[in-house]
């Protein structure tokens, strides 16, 4: 399945050299991305303790996750485009300030309402940090080996943030209490906020067009509705009236958004950009790799603790191995991209992820921890290759003044992918004859979806090359 037919140049394979200032900029931007990734998972293992401390019921604990996911996913496109028009540095710093203040509020929360308000504001800050940080990275480092290396490091830290968060959250909760998980994020935001102003340059849009308000309202409302419906369905299923109504309303708003954008003189999302095969097929690859890998981690956690009866600590070690191998993959992925191209790397990575997820079907009820460790770690290596290469595929060739829009699409795909995987497939794990049968069903469907997506993305990108 040949996609990138041009031969890589010597510069593509030589290790790119970065200046001292460029390294500091990369450190600041990657630290911000790592901080947000950490926030997605660091609180998970602390939820039971948090609930008892604040008086939150078991059913209400899902809002600790949903309150963050709603604004962090719903406002990504809006903030990405706003940064393009009015300044990325300005919005990046504002997002850091909001995120840090919200983390302090969550740290010292005195009741469920104050805690959930802090989580929602954290999500709002993250929605500003992620697309602006990514667009600052892609505009600071020129397309080619330097950008490949920068995105490779960023993708590695993104993956490590999720994994380390699971382990670190347990350690902090057991030693210092659940509030320390939120306090850690406040300190991280403060450190980045101190370093960033002296390193980052402000972006300027050459024309400064008006913000597309109708488009902003419809897409933000639509994403909020869809994410709410899917997050709620993960806990209560799709049978609830509120879930169905919200989901239908969200889809209708997103359809209205497309109509609005087709008629707007200054659209929030350029429909010609969405019609680019690299943007469309690249984002499909990103959506599949994120949604399917988050589902694998979810069902394997159930399998290891409920079927094999491993402790939380030993389960954490399984995903710790996954994180270590992902770090090595992040260092190697840019070299692979330099040799065979981002598009081909995306297809190969998706295929590898699907194959290793399929290997997990060999697990049993009495043993399978070793197979699970090896297979999920290798699947994560391929997953990280897909993360880096899909970001490069989508943003390559996009003008600097539209990088915020392109990276907004990338990060929206990432957030939506993480959100929809578990509701769509994870529910199968608990509705089969037994939990073990449900886990195997999810893994089989997951592997088939990833492999099928790899074939479709490969064909679509091949036509784009032609």
């Amino acid at each position: 399945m040949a996609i990138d037919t041009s031969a890589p140049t010597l510069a593509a394979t030589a290790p790119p050299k970065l200046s001292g200032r460029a390294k500091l900029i990369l450190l600041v931007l990657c630290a911000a991305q790592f901080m947000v990734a950490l926030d997605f998972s660091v609180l998970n293992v602390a939820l039971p303790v948090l609930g008892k401390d604040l008086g939150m019921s078991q059913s209400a604990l899902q809002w600790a996750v949903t309150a963050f996911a709603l604004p962090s996913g719903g406002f990504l496109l809006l903030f990405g485009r706003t940064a393009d028009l009015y300044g990325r540095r300005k919005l990046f710093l504002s997002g850091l300030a909001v995120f840090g203040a919200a983390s302090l509020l969550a740290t010292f929360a005195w009741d469920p309402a104050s805690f959930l308000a802090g989580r929602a504001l954290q999500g709002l800050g993250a929605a500003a940090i992620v697309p602006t940080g990514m667009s600052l990275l892609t505009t600071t480092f020129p397309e080619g080996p330097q950008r490949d290396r920068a995105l490779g490091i960023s993708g590695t830290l993104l993956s490590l943030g999720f994994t380390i968060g699971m382990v670190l959250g347990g350690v902090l909760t057991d030693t210092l209490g659940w509030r320390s998980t939120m306090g850690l994020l406040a300190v991280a935001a403060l450190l980045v906020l101190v370093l960033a102003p002296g390193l980052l340059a402000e972006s300027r849009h050459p024309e400064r067009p008006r913000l597309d308000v109708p488009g902003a309202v419809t897409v933000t409302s639509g994403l909020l509705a869809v994410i709410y419906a899917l997050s709620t369905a993960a806990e209560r299923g799709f049978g609830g009236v509120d879930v169905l109504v919200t989901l239908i309303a969200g889809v209708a708003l997103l359809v209205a958004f497309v109509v609005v954008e087709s008629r707007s003189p200054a659209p929030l999302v350029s429909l010609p950009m969405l019609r680019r095969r690299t943007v469309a097929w690249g984002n499909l690859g990103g959506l599949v790799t994120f949604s399917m890998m988050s589902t694998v981690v979810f069902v394997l956690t159930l399998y290891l603790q409920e079927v094999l009866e491993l402790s939380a600590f030993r389960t954490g070690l399984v995903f710790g191995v996954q994180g270590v191998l992902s770090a090595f993959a992040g260092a190697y992925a840019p070299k692979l991209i330099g040799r065979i191209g981002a598009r081909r790397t995306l297809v190969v990575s998706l295929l590898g992820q699907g194959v290793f997820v399929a290997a997990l079907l060999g697990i049993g009820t009495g043993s399978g921890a070793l197979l699970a460790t090896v297979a999920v770690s290798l699947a994560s290596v391929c997953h990280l290759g897909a993360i880096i290469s899909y970001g490069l595929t989508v943003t390559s060739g996009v003008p600097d003044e539209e990088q915020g829009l392109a990276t907004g699409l990338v990060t929206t795909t990432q957030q939506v992918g993480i959100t929809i995987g578990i509701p769509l497939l994870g529910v199968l794990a608990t509705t089969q004859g037994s939990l073990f049968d449900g886990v195997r069903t999810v893994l089989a469907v997951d592997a088939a979806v990833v492999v099928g997506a790899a074939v479709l993305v490969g064909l679509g990108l091949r036509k784009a090359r032609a």
Side-chain angles (χ1 to χ4, degrees):
M1 187 179 296
I3 299 169
D4 293 338
T5 57
S6 57
T9 63
L10 180 60
T13 57
K17 295 182 179 179
L18 302 177
S19 66
R21 182 179 179 82
K23 290 179 181 177
L24 285 175
I25 293 173
L26 181 60
L27 173 65
V28 165
L29 295 176
C30 287
Q33 301 285 343
F34 178 81
M35 174 186 70
V36 174
L38 197 68
D39 197 15
F40 276 103
S41 58
V42 72
L43 195 65
N44 287 351
V45 294
L47 287 178
V49 178
L50 179 155
K52 292 178 182 178
D53 187 31
L54 293 180
M56 297 176 68
S57 66
Q58 193 72 26
S59 60
L61 285 179
Q62 65 155 324
W63 283 101
V65 178
T66 304
F68 179 88
L70 279 172
S72 66
F75 288 91
L76 276 170
L77 273 178
L78 173 59
F79 286 163
R81 187 55 176 162
T82 301
D84 278 344
L85 301 181
Y86 303 108
R88 297 174 187 129
R89 177 180 178 272
K90 187 187 305 179
L91 192 58
F92 180 75
L93 296 178
S94 299
L96 283 170
V98 170
F99 187 91
S103 298
L104 279 178
L105 175 59
T107 301
F108 297 105
W110 55 93
D111 60 11
S114 58
F115 175 74
L116 293 178
R119 289 292 287 165
L121 289 172
Q122 275 184 328
L124 193 66
I129 293 169
V130 173
T132 53
M134 184 70 75
S135 58
L136 283 167
L137 188 149
T138 55
T139 53
T140 300
F141 298 94
E143 193 169 325
Q146 283 199 356
R147 186 182 293 181
D148 293 355
R149 183 183 179 189
L151 285 175
I153 295 172
S154 177
T156 301
L157 290 176
L158 179 69
S159 179
L160 283 176
F162 288 112
T163 304
I164 291 174
M166 296 175 65
V167 180
L168 188 60
V171 173
L172 288 175
T173 302
D174 287 344
T175 56
L176 300 175
W178 70 266
R179 294 179 188 273
S180 63
T181 62
M182 297 290 97
L184 173 66
L185 297 172
V187 172
L190 177 62
L191 290 175
V192 177
L193 191 57
V194 169
L195 293 173
L199 293 170
L200 302 177
E202 186 57 278
S203 60
R204 302 291 179 189
H205 195 283
E207 299 178 1
R208 188 70 67 86
R210 287 185 176 183
L211 181 65
D212 175 21
V213 176
V217 171
T218 52
V219 73
T220 302
S221 302
L223 286 172
L224 286 171
V226 169
I227 293 171
Y228 168 83
L230 293 176
S231 299
T232 306
E235 294 293 325
R236 296 191 280 129
F238 286 93
V241 174
D242 59 332
V243 173
L244 290 175
V245 170
T246 309
L247 184 60
I248 293 171
V251 172
L253 284 166
L254 292 177
V255 171
F257 167 69
V258 174
V259 175
V260 168
E261 297 306 276
S262 66
R263 300 175 180 178
S264 173
L268 183 69
V269 173
S270 170
L271 294 184
M273 175 181 283
L274 290 177
R275 286 194 288 268
R276 291 186 185 185
R277 286 184 174 271
T278 51
V279 173
W281 292 107
N283 274 303
L284 175 62
L287 182 70
V288 169
T289 192
F290 272 109
S291 60
M292 295 299 102
M293 199 64 211
S294 63
T295 304
V296 169
V297 172
F298 172 74
V299 297
L300 274 188
T301 302
L302 293 177
Y303 166 73
L304 292 171
Q305 295 194 42
E306 301 295 331
V307 178
L308 296 187
E309 298 183 347
L310 297 187
S311 65
F313 175 73
R314 292 181 65 188
T315 301
L317 289 180
V318 170
F319 296 108
V321 174
Q322 172 195 16
V324 171
L325 286 184
S326 294
F328 285 107
Y332 181 74
K335 298 178 182 178
L336 179 63
I337 291 170
R339 291 192 181 100
I340 68 174
R343 302 177 190 182
R344 186 180 292 140
T345 301
L346 174 57
V347 175
V348 171
S349 297
L350 286 171
L351 283 172
Q353 180 179 329
V355 168
F356 288 119
V357 170
L360 286 166
L361 293 172
I363 58 176
T365 55
S367 62
L370 179 60
L371 174 60
T373 303
V374 173
V376 77
S377 297
L378 293 176
S380 294
V381 168
C382 297
H383 168 61
L384 187 58
I387 291 174
I388 298 170
S389 54
Y390 106 85
L392 282 170
T393 299
V394 173
T395 59
S396 295
V398 176
D400 279 357
E401 61 269 18
E402 292 187 345
Q403 280 292 333
L405 172 57
T407 56
L409 289 171
V410 169
T411 49
T412 299
T413 295
Q414 165 192 315
Q415 177 61 45
V416 172
I418 293 170
T419 303
I420 68 173
I422 295 173
L424 290 179
L425 289 185
V427 67
L428 294 176
T430 56
T431 56
Q432 304 296 300
S434 68
L435 177 61
F436 178 69
D437 291 337
V439 168
R440 282 177 53 86
T441 299
V442 171
L443 293 174
V445 174
D446 191 294
V449 169
V450 178
V451 171
V455 173
L456 290 175
V457 170
L459 292 173
L461 291 179
R462 186 174 185 176
K463 292 180 179 179
R465 183 68 184 177

